[in-house]
Amino acid sequence: MSTPFPVLPRGFTFGTATASYQIEGAHDEDGRGPSIWDTFSHTPGRTKDGATGDTACDHYHRYPEDVALLRDLGVDSYRFSVAWPRIQPTGTGPANAKGLDFYDRLTDELLGAEIAPAVTLYHWDLPQALEDLGGWRTRETAEHFAEYTRLVAERLGDRVARWITLNEPFCTAFSGYAEGRHAPGAQEGTPALAAAHHLLVAHGNAVRVLRETGAREVGITLNIDLVEAASPAPADVAAARRAGTLHNDVWTEPLFAGRYPATEAETWGALADGSYREDGDLALIGAPLDFVGINFYRPLTFADAPHTEPEESRRSAVDIGVRPVDPYGSRHTTMGWPVVPEAFTTLLTGLVARYPELPPVYITENGSAEADTVAPDGAVHDQDRVTYLHDHLTAVAAAIDAGVEVRGYYVWSLLDNFEWAHGYRQRFGIVRVDYDTQKRTPKDSYHWFRRLIEGHRAMDDADRAPVQESR
Ligand code: FCB
């Protein structure tokens, strides 16, 4: 089948994304301290097959090979995260020189390949020592985050332009402190809401430090969801509103509207006692950003689940009386996530309609986990992933046509990697990793993405003559 590539604007950034704990390995090398994910993954029963990030993709040692893959792919940018416990093994105090040196080498390797680094400061690997002091339940962690940010920004700021303070604070606060599916594995109510707030304060602190150190492009990455009601019944509509508060408004209202969500009381009642808020927080949190990073995988639909029902939603200590439903007649990825690319367009246009002053957007993650196999010819013919990426980039192009300023798109992920509680069973990479040998094999999706990037360069040169390409 021959389809035109989705056409993105001139100067659009193409990239791939990863995260430290998911790929680096070398968990106890060069002075790195333990993070909450080391503790969690080493606790029996927490991850699939008892998988840990001890070795992962061994990227800590193999980064030159991985950067060479990026160079051959032709990406403009690479998003990686810095492991806080490599920089400060116990979360406070002076920098561990060897930890900073690693990211310094990685940055230089990228620049040598003409790839712009995009650095995430926090992609979930909190130093365990800070968790022992209360973790994100306490405001002090947000203060320590500012010190950590300064250490990294002072070292890399001369070469790194694009900074992401936090990745998906929703997951840190609610998957980590309310549902317990992620590290640190807690199931608590009000402390999870306090964690959400302290993450926002940490973001505000980091923005302040990054501005002081002269950072050029500063943003945050959110997994904003398209949240819909299972039916037009008022109870389901109200359920979707509560879910929208939990998933989205907790972040977007303070960040982009300078207020806390108006729907807090109806969403979690007395759980949100506000004891963790201080005067001045909203001004700190709402400081202007240069961009917002959006991670998108699939839409969500919720029905009302009265609190008397013994529902799956009871897994969370922040119980908002909703039940996820799956009305999508579409294909699902191996994560069980429905593939609904149009939802991506709706999400982006809806966000701008709601927040007309929204900063420009980077898609900082999008991709799919598939049941990849190695064919007899040694290749990985991951047509489902190619289709997923094609259709989601087309959805981004449609959002741009509708007026959303999207500046770039990072595929999740460069490599198959440690998919958190799912361990190594879920493969998101456009490059296959054989975990026994650490051999990297670019999949068909890698080659497709390379041709797409090349095609755009050619279009730029030939003044955007349409490019036809088979997928
Ligand atoms: C996102 C995470 C990322 C990866 C993808 C599949 O929630 O940010 O690390 O696990 O999901």
Side-chain angles (χ1 to χ4, degrees):
M1 173 168 62
S2 177
T3 27
F5 275 142
V7 177
L8 284 312
R10 180 182 289 279
F12 192 80
T13 293
F14 293 101
T16 68
T18 62
S20 46
Y21 191 71
Q22 295 182 274
I23 64 165
E24 285 179 0
H27 68 113
D28 57 359
E29 257 178 74
D30 291 342
R32 179 184 178 278
S35 79
I36 54 174
W37 270 96
D38 294 279
T39 309
F40 188 78
S41 65
H42 278 270
T43 306
R46 292 301 206 174
T47 65
K48 199 107 185 156
D49 310 322
T52 74
D54 289 4
T55 307
C57 307
D58 195 31
H59 172 78
Y60 191 74
H61 301 113
R62 292 169 196 262
Y63 72 90
E65 183 185 347
D66 294 336
V67 173
L69 283 164
L70 288 165
R71 186 197 57 221
D72 294 347
L73 183 57
V75 285
D76 306 292
S77 181
Y78 171 59
R79 173 180 177 230
F80 64 91
S81 80
V82 174
W84 186 348
R86 282 198 197 283
I87 309 304
Q88 291 175 299
T90 58
T92 60
N96 168 36
K98 287 186 170 170
L100 278 176
D101 288 349
F102 169 67
Y103 297 105
D104 201 271
R105 290 194 300 275
L106 175 60
T107 298
D108 284 346
E109 192 83 12
L110 289 165
L111 293 174
E114 295 184 36
I115 297 165
V119 172
T120 308
L121 285 161
Y122 186 76
H123 201 127
W124 306 354
D125 38 7
L126 184 72
Q128 180 62 44
L130 291 185
E131 175 59 24
D132 296 342
L133 297 172
W136 290 110
R137 301 172 191 83
T138 70
R139 183 174 274 267
E140 284 70 34
T141 298
E143 304 307 325
H144 295 313
F145 189 65
E147 297 154 28
Y148 155 68
T149 298
R150 189 176 296 281
L151 294 174
V152 180
E154 283 181 349
R155 182 65 180 269
L156 302 182
D158 57 337
R159 284 154 294 155
V160 171
R162 190 166 304 147
W163 294 87
I164 295 162
T165 55
L166 306 176
N167 178 70
E168 300 190 359
F170 169 86
C171 293
T172 302
F174 297 115
S175 308
Y177 287 92
E179 292 179 45
R181 311 188 272 119
H182 280 189
Q187 286 185 298
E188 300 168 19
T190 302
L193 292 164
H197 184 68
H198 294 141
L199 281 153
L200 285 166
V201 173
H203 159 79
N205 285 340
V207 171
R208 181 174 42 73
V209 170
L210 287 164
R211 297 288 182 216
E212 283 166 16
T213 57
R216 274 163 280 169
E217 258 190 292
V218 178
I220 184 170
T221 280
L222 304 171
N223 50 329
I224 296 299
D225 280 299
L226 182 71
V227 173
E228 291 179 324
S231 83
D236 287 341
V237 171
R241 196 165 57 237
R242 295 194 297 278
T245 304
L246 176 80
H247 283 265
N248 301 332
D249 306 2
V250 170
W251 320 106
T252 55
E253 287 290 288
L255 285 166
F256 307 125
R259 60 185 177 231
Y260 299 114
T263 44
E264 282 189 311
E266 64 173 285
T267 303
W268 37 62
L271 273 188
D273 62 11
S275 54
Y276 35 80
R277 290 177 181 161
E278 291 184 4
D279 289 348
D281 282 356
L282 280 174
L284 178 77
I285 295 164
L289 297 176
D290 303 305
F291 68 91
V292 56
I294 301 290
N295 293 354
F296 178 84
Y297 292 92
R298 45 97 184 85
L300 293 173
T301 299
F302 291 96
D304 184 40
H307 292 262
T308 48
E309 276 181 27
E311 283 296 346
E312 211 210 358
S313 60
R314 299 296 100 82
R315 286 174 316 164
S316 176
V318 177
D319 181 1
I320 58 167
V322 302
R323 172 167 54 87
V325 296
D326 188 342
Y328 311 100
S330 53
R331 188 176 82 78
H332 290 68
T333 69
T334 56
M335 292 290 280
W337 295 346
V339 179
V340 193
E342 323 73 82
F344 202 179
T345 312
T346 311
L347 172 78
L348 292 168
T349 52
L351 204 54
V352 170
R354 183 161 177 198
Y355 301 106
E357 304 299 319
L358 192 79
V361 172
Y362 282 100
I363 307 307
T364 39
E365 286 180 27
N366 176 242
S368 70
E370 304 293 349
D372 299 329
T373 51
V374 181
D377 62 358
V380 180
H381 302 301
D382 57 339
Q383 184 57 41
D384 283 342
R385 183 175 291 106
V386 170
T387 304
Y388 182 100
L389 296 174
H390 175 281
D391 293 351
H392 283 76
L393 262 166
T394 302
V396 171
I400 293 171
D401 286 347
V404 184
E405 188 178 349
V406 185
R407 292 200 174 157
Y409 172 96
Y410 293 80
V411 173
W412 184 271
S413 179
L414 173 66
L415 304 170
D416 289 339
N417 60 44
F418 174 79
E419 179 47 35
W420 309 112
H422 299 279
Y424 295 96
R425 296 253 189 123
Q426 299 293 336
R427 292 182 178 269
F428 275 93
I430 57 172
V431 174
R432 180 180 177 87
V433 176
D434 177 327
Y435 296 111
D436 295 328
T437 61
Q438 292 295 343
K439 184 171 183 281
R440 274 76 164 137
T441 305
K443 305 178 191 176
D444 284 3
S445 54
Y446 171 99
H447 299 296
W448 174 84
F449 199 46
R450 185 175 48 69
R451 290 197 304 275
L452 176 118
I453 297 168
E454 241 173 46
H456 275 77
R457 297 249 161 79
M459 262 193 285
D460 282 346
D461 294 346
D463 231 1
R464 300 232 152 259
V467 172
Q468 295 283 322
E469 174 67 49
S470 62
R471 55 169 150 139

